[in-house]
Amino acid sequence: MPTAFIWGASGGIGRALVERLVADGWTVGAASRHPDDLAGLTEHRFEADVTDAFAVSQAVLAAAQELPSVELWVYAAGDIMATPVAEMVSPAWERILGANLTGAYLTAQQSLPLLAERAHLFLLGAYSERLQVPGLSAYAAAKAGLDAFAATLAKEQRKHRVTVVRPGAVNTPLWEKVPLRLPRTAMAPAELAQRILDAYHAGVTGTLDL
Ligand SMILES: NC(=O)c1ccc[n+]([C@@H]2O[C@H](COP(=O)([O-])OP(=O)(O)OC[C@H]3O[C@@H](n4cnc5c(N)ncnc54)[C@H](OP(=O)(O)O)[C@@H]3O)[C@@H](O)[C@H]2O)c1
């Protein structure tokens, strides 16, 4: 069976992906700040803060020793806060840009040697143009940056497929961090995991708005 690697694997979407893939018989590498949360799901667990270049490189080195080449790679880490620019402190801005954008760069770059020749990379983005609302400047800027990063990466890594998945609302703990009500139409994380897997099998690249 093929091999997948999920960053942000303890989050709502990341965990649903690990569960779906393991259930389908994939070998799954899972990176998280809390890898013990995934005990019993997959034996291939790695600890990394995605904003820590050294930790990311150590996780990739460990993964290279125990995993075959990765066909499906997903960046599902992310963070959000609602703070007006006037009140934002620099570490908070850096935390949001780090989790949503810099982490994507660090993990993608470090993971390149892990990837199979025709690997497919999925990055969890968002409808950044709709996020330009008071309080969400850092999150909206990071997700807009992720679109640009992924589009450029796709042109550089022509053997690999690159897709930015931009879901609407998904029912995960992310929503507990912002004073917003989860829409009734929110998708279950398991449904999104299935849609990502469907896109992998269909070879969908570019932007996948769901
Ligand atoms: N939920 C939605 O409605 C929605 C919609 C559009 C896009 N997205 C995107 O989908 C992705 C996954 O979100 P989610 O809904 O699954 O949120 P979530 O349940 O809050 O999961 C996010 C995960 O990212 C991890 N993370 C944050 N900063 C990290 C760091 N510096 N290093 C390592 N891991 C870090 C968190 O780890 P800890 O557990 O250690 O904090 C958490 O496990 C995010 O990029 C989000 O922006 C979500």
Side-chain angles (χ1 to χ4, degrees):
M1 283 304 282
T3 301
F5 197 95
I6 316 296
W7 295 92
S10 297
I13 294 168
R15 190 183 177 90
L17 277 162
V18 176
E19 288 172 346
R20 173 75 270 148
L21 292 161
V22 167
D24 287 357
W26 287 61
T27 298
V28 182
S32 164
R33 289 190 288 201
H34 316 283
D36 290 350
D37 291 358
L38 298 153
L41 258 186
T42 175
E43 63 189 277
H44 307 291
R45 301 185 299 276
F46 309 95
E47 182 172 350
D49 181 317
V50 296
T51 64
D52 179 339
F54 182 70
V56 169
S57 72
Q58 292 301 107
V60 168
L61 273 179
Q65 287 179 356
E66 56 184 89
L67 291 177
S69 298
V70 169
E71 278 97 358
L72 170 57
W73 180 99
V74 184
Y75 186 77
D79 203 351
I80 193 169
M81 66 174 176
T83 307
V85 174
E87 292 163 25
M88 182 113 53
V89 292
S90 167
W93 170 270
E94 282 162 17
R95 176 169 58 84
I96 301 304
L97 269 287
N100 293 291
L101 182 57
T102 309
Y105 143 65
L106 287 172
T107 58
Q109 182 198 54
Q110 297 285 333
S111 297
L112 290 175
L114 280 184
L115 301 178
E117 188 167 324
R118 300 289 299 162
H120 197 150
L121 294 85
F122 288 87
L123 300 102
L124 265 298
Y127 287 88
S128 55
E129 57 278 17
R130 290 191 203 162
L131 293 169
Q132 293 167 10
V133 295
L136 292 190
S137 63
Y139 188 69
K143 292 303 190 187
L146 188 74
D147 285 341
F149 171 73
T152 310
L153 179 68
K155 289 174 187 163
E156 294 175 357
Q157 295 292 324
R158 291 195 172 273
K159 288 183 182 165
H160 301 321
R161 296 189 170 108
V162 179
T163 305
V164 178
V165 183
R166 309 197 319 166
V170 186
N171 188 354
T172 72
L174 192 83
W175 284 82
E176 294 162 14
K177 297 180 174 180
V178 284
L180 299 170
R181 186 176 300 171
L182 180 74
R184 262 180 285 159
T185 52
M187 211 185 286
E191 184 188 343
L192 179 59
Q194 185 61 56
R195 301 280 294 270
I196 292 171
L197 202 49
D198 291 346
Y200 168 79
H201 288 302
V204 174
T205 57
T207 301
L208 178 61
D209 287 341
L210 296 172

